[in-house]
Amino acid sequence: MATYLKTAPAASTRAETDSKVRTTVETILADIEARGDQAVRELSGKFDNWSPPSFRLTEQDIEAAIAKVAKRDLEDIRFAQAQVRNFAQKQKAALRDIEVETLPGVILGHRNIPVDAVGCYVPGGKYPMVASAHMSVLTAKVAGVKRVVASAPPFKGGAHPAIVAAMHFAGADEILVLGGVQAIGAMALGTETIAPVDMLVGPGNAFVAEAKRQLYGRVGIDLFAGPTETLVIADDTVDAEICATDLLGQAEHGPTSPAILLTTSDKLARATMDEVERLLTILPTAEIARQSWRDFGEVIVCADDAEMVTIANSLAFEHVQVMTRDPDYFLAKMTNYGALFLGPRTNVAFGDKVIGTNHTLPTRRAARYTGGLWVGKFLKTCTYQKVLTDEASALVGAYDSRLSMLEGFAGHAEQANVRVRRYGRRNVPYATAAD
């Protein structure tokens, strides 16, 4: 039986907050749909104090922004993008078009077709998330998406130079300096000056996530996302410093970001709680991390690795850092997670920024039914069929005729029957199951 040394007292407050966000987003999206550019401009001025002549950057604007980025920073962006591109290319190579003959004269196949147009949102509030440009824009381009629109909010009165550089290097076809729900709405619904896209991807705050949720169906989305989550699974092979560091490293994302320690060591659990308090006295982002840890942090002591797997699968967290004697045990046994980080030599920040796996991952237990953003999310696997011989058409037609009549679909049956008559040269009475 697991022992909870620390629980998350604020977790139950989310429903009320979600309701307020939902109402606000509904109003904003309706306004954008009704008034287009005018609404977007007013909303951007209201929320971001940003209302330029055009939200879209010109080539000259892009070049000017890149010129402001330090050479070392540009090199680091290119290195990170090389890792993301390489892994995305390997993933795409694993997805093959197929064509097989399933019966004599019957050919079935599928093609992996890229989405035509994608909108990529790159958060840029308290933390301008340069890496999100790699994860969304670059991955979409590797998939073969023809038109990628990238949007990020203004930063200190203009475009964030490093974000613009990352978007441009990743292959964005259009770059917008536009944030929040107004960016999501403009890309999805379209305005007089912004053509609509077919799919929206990328992380964001609660309002951005809710906008994507409400627009899902009118456009595709990558996944439903909430506040960043991290789960550290550890035993006595590691120490409190590394556990506390990995917990706070993700808690700094925001005041509602859950961070949980799951361990078989009571000693490590208590030492980690002490170490968290010590690190909060020196961490520059402690104000946010402290609130997140206080309200959403948990520490759970389990009897053995098997119990840790059970609880971890139930939590279905976005990030799962495993630091145990046998990390591969968790790779083999765990089924619900956004991404695994196996062993103390790696960590969530590697995945967030540079190592090559995608950092847009499922939260709020969505890992029970979906993985994160990857090249395959931008591809539609579309089937086709060909029947090459009269004999095959008549054979399949007879089965289809009987199965259609079994369900009461006479029109379906006639689609089959006309082939049985024509290609099988058999007299089947109208709207009757073929013999």
Side-chain angles (χ1 to χ4, degrees):
M1 175 71 75
T3 301
Y4 287 71
L5 300 185
K6 183 184 184 307
T7 57
S12 61
T13 66
R14 281 182 175 160
E16 182 179 353
T17 301
D18 289 350
S19 177
K20 293 177 181 177
V21 170
R22 188 177 305 118
T23 300
T24 300
V25 170
E26 285 175 352
T27 302
I28 292 174
L29 291 178
D31 192 21
I32 292 172
E33 186 166 24
R35 299 193 298 126
D37 281 335
Q38 183 180 352
V40 170
R41 186 166 299 283
E42 290 174 8
L43 290 161
S44 182
K46 175 182 177 181
F47 293 120
D48 290 328
N49 194 30
W50 176 248
S51 185
S54 174
F55 292 107
R56 182 182 290 114
L57 296 184
T58 65
E59 288 297 321
Q60 292 75 21
D61 294 332
I62 293 169
E63 291 173 5
I66 294 173
K68 297 177 183 177
V69 185
K71 180 181 178 182
R72 181 65 177 270
D73 291 338
L74 292 176
E75 291 172 353
D76 290 345
I77 289 171
R78 290 187 184 279
F79 176 85
Q81 292 196 348
Q83 312 318 305
V84 176
R85 182 181 292 107
N86 180 55
F87 189 58
Q89 288 172 338
K90 300 298 185 187
Q91 289 182 306
K92 187 181 180 185
L95 299 171
R96 297 187 300 121
D97 293 352
I98 63 170
E99 185 172 279
V100 294
E101 187 170 16
T102 56
L103 291 168
V106 176
I107 306 297
L108 306 182
H110 76 228
R111 295 176 58 216
N112 293 297
I113 304 171
V115 173
D116 285 337
V118 170
C120 299
Y121 188 74
V122 177
K126 181 176 288 292
Y127 301 119
M129 292 181 64
V130 176
S132 286
H134 323 329
M135 306 300 175
S136 57
V137 177
L138 192 154
T139 309
K141 296 307 286 188
V142 169
V145 176
K146 294 177 182 177
R147 173 176 171 251
V148 175
V149 183
S151 188
F155 183 79
K156 297 182 179 178
H160 190 286
I163 288 180
V164 171
M167 289 173 167
H168 180 69
F169 296 158
D173 300 290
E174 300 168 32
I175 296 177
L176 308 177
V177 182
L178 186 62
V181 178
Q182 55 270 24
I184 298 298
M187 290 190 289
L189 302 171
T191 70
E192 297 90 331
T193 60
I194 301 171
V197 299
D198 304 307
M199 183 179 184
L200 292 168
V201 302
N205 63 19
F207 293 92
V208 167
E210 175 61 20
K212 288 168 63 181
R213 189 193 69 80
Q214 291 188 21
L215 289 164
Y216 177 59
R218 299 185 65 160
V219 294
I221 66 169
D222 46 0
L223 46 80
F224 297 110
T228 292
E229 304 164 343
T230 192
L231 174 65
V232 173
I233 298 176
D235 60 20
D236 58 10
T237 60
V238 291
D239 56 57
E241 180 188 25
I242 199 166
C243 292
T245 298
D246 286 345
L247 290 165
L248 293 179
Q250 295 301 302
E252 73 177 2
H253 265 282
T256 59
S257 295
I260 295 179
L261 173 64
L262 197 57
T263 181
T264 51
S265 170
D266 183 84
K267 180 180 178 181
L268 177 65
R270 297 180 187 279
T272 298
M273 288 192 289
D274 291 340
E275 184 65 8
V276 165
E277 298 305 320
R278 184 188 74 82
L279 292 178
L280 285 173
T281 66
I282 58 175
L283 182 66
T285 54
E287 182 179 356
I288 293 172
R290 180 180 292 107
Q291 183 178 348
S292 176
W293 176 248
R294 181 193 67 210
D295 294 341
F296 293 93
E298 296 190 33
V299 177
I300 308 169
V301 180
C302 296
D304 52 30
D305 286 357
E307 187 172 46
M308 289 201 291
V309 166
T310 298
I311 292 176
N313 277 331
S314 177
L315 290 169
F317 258 30
E318 178 185 18
H319 306 110
V320 180
Q321 169 79 52
V322 180
M323 297 182 287
T324 63
R325 286 179 179 81
D326 184 12
D328 285 343
Y329 172 84
F330 292 85
L331 178 62
K333 298 293 185 180
M334 283 195 62
T335 55
N336 300 335
Y337 56 86
L340 282 179
F341 304 84
L342 300 168
R345 293 178 182 84
T346 188
N347 61 83
V348 176
F350 283 8
D352 278 348
K353 309 301 179 188
V354 69
I355 207 167
T357 52
N358 206 291
H359 78 189
T360 303
L361 300 166
T363 63
R364 295 194 175 186
R365 303 189 72 225
R368 292 172 299 139
Y369 56 82
T370 186
L373 184 62
W374 69 296
V375 70
K377 289 277 188 178
F378 298 104
L379 298 170
K380 302 172 293 181
T381 302
C382 302
T383 59
Y384 62 88
Q385 56 179 264
K386 294 184 284 187
V387 179
L388 303 180
T389 66
D390 291 354
E391 292 80 6
S393 184
L395 172 69
V396 175
Y399 281 101
D400 186 32
S401 172
R402 294 191 293 272
L403 289 169
S404 295
M405 290 305 295
L406 177 65
E407 295 178 353
F409 282 109
H412 284 63
E414 271 307 300
Q415 287 182 269
N417 288 343
V418 73
R419 270 81 185 174
V420 174
R421 297 184 194 110
R422 183 166 301 183
Y423 300 117
R425 293 171 291 279
R426 294 165 55 188
N427 183 21
V428 180
Y430 190 82
T432 302
D435 292 333

